[in-house]
Amino acid sequence: MDTEEHKLIEHPTICRGSSFPPLEKCTNCCSPALYHCPFCPPECFEPTRRRKLLLHLESHRKFACSIGGYTVHKCSFGCRRKPHYHCLHCEATLIRRRDFVNHVPLCLEALKTKHQNQSKLQRFMVTDDTNGDDICDSEDSHEESSSHFLNPAASGMSTRGSPNSSKGSQRVQTHMEKPQDCDEFYFMNLVKIFKRLTPQKKTDVRLRIERILFEAEFQ
């Protein structure tokens, strides 16, 4: 993403290239008609003739910053108490030239990262939506096979004559890895609630959890 892929901040002090904004005579408050500085209010620079205004604008050019194909002039309007620069990509205003020059590349890099993360999230959500039915079908088949494995009677298998069947069943339920930390302990407790949900609800909960974790990691 370059500076043209997103909307730049619109402000009269941000000019494309090295040109000044169009200079036009004021017919509202000046009599006779005079020229206003596009970067200063009348309180800071009184409206004057075109020749004097051009000389004044040259002083603005000395303190301007050229960056990314744009020239940012110092703003003397009432945005802040002191003359300042407006960032091209965000609402930040900076007084010192050095701070402004350092801020703009970092601001643009942050926008690139945000744009990339949003694209990843959109692709992730589209993939989840298209695979939702497959997840649900696999969940049904998995639960069916699991129920036959844990409950031999449901699959027609006889448990008679097998003296170790009760012990084996007990081992299936108790031989589980113990949680290693508080995070594992927390999620293992959630499993009990999760298993009581219907297959469709399980799929929906999975998608929500994955989206929350993805957003927490990349945003």
Side-chain angles (χ1 to χ4, degrees):
M1 182 185 71
D2 55 28
T3 55
E4 298 298 330
E5 290 186 8
H6 67 281
K7 186 177 181 180
L8 294 172
I9 298 297
E10 295 183 1
H11 195 270
T13 59
I14 301 176
C15 303
R16 183 183 292 273
S18 58
S19 61
F20 291 118
L23 303 179
E24 298 179 357
K25 284 186 176 182
C26 172
T27 57
N28 296 326
C29 61
C30 298
S31 180
L34 297 172
Y35 291 89
H36 286 255
C37 174
F39 311 133
C40 302
E43 295 80 14
C44 294
F45 181 80
E46 294 183 0
T48 184
R49 292 175 296 175
R50 181 183 178 88
R51 182 174 60 84
K52 288 187 176 181
L53 175 59
L54 291 175
L55 293 175
H56 172 73
L57 290 178
E58 288 301 321
S59 65
H60 272 286
R61 194 192 298 275
K62 293 179 181 179
F63 297 98
C65 294
S66 297
I67 189 166
Y70 290 83
T71 301
V72 182
H73 299 272
K74 262 202 169 182
C75 172
S76 297
F77 290 104
C79 316
R80 298 186 66 168
R81 293 183 178 180
K82 295 182 178 180
H84 52 277
Y85 298 97
H86 285 262
C87 179
L88 297 79
H89 313 297
C90 70
E91 300 294 336
T93 57
L94 299 100
I95 295 176
R96 295 191 298 180
R97 178 192 178 102
R98 181 181 60 185
D99 294 339
F100 176 78
V101 172
N102 293 334
H103 165 82
V104 173
L106 297 176
C107 182
L108 183 58
E109 186 65 27
L111 284 176
K112 289 182 180 180
T113 302
K114 181 179 179 180
H115 176 76
Q116 292 172 356
N117 290 341
Q118 289 177 346
S119 299
K120 290 180 181 178
L121 180 59
Q122 290 175 356
R123 291 196 298 268
F124 176 79
M125 296 175 65
V126 170
T127 303
D128 283 349
D129 291 339
T130 55
N131 293 337
D133 295 338
D134 296 338
I135 295 175
C136 183
D137 294 339
S138 62
E139 176 67 23
D140 294 339
S141 59
H142 174 72
E143 287 202 352
E144 183 178 357
S145 60
S146 299
S147 64
H148 284 291
F149 175 76
L150 296 177
N151 187 9
S155 59
M157 297 174 60
S158 176
T159 58
R160 295 180 182 178
S162 178
N164 296 327
S165 60
S166 60
K167 294 181 180 180
S169 176
Q170 185 177 4
R171 283 199 299 270
V172 171
Q173 298 178 2
T174 58
H175 285 188
M176 297 178 63
E177 293 184 3
K178 294 183 179 180
Q180 300 298 321
D181 53 34
C182 58
D183 293 335
E184 291 186 12
F185 183 79
Y186 171 75
F187 282 102
M188 287 181 69
N189 285 332
L190 294 181
V191 171
K192 300 176 182 178
I193 302 175
F194 185 79
K195 285 185 176 295
R196 294 199 295 265
L197 302 178
T198 63
Q200 184 62 38
K201 287 185 177 180
K202 287 182 179 180
T203 301
D204 183 58
V205 170
R206 280 198 187 99
L207 295 179
R208 291 184 182 180
I209 292 175
E210 290 173 357
R211 289 173 183 171
I212 292 173
L213 293 177
F214 184 90
E215 293 174 356
E217 182 179 1
F218 292 102
Q219 292 187 352

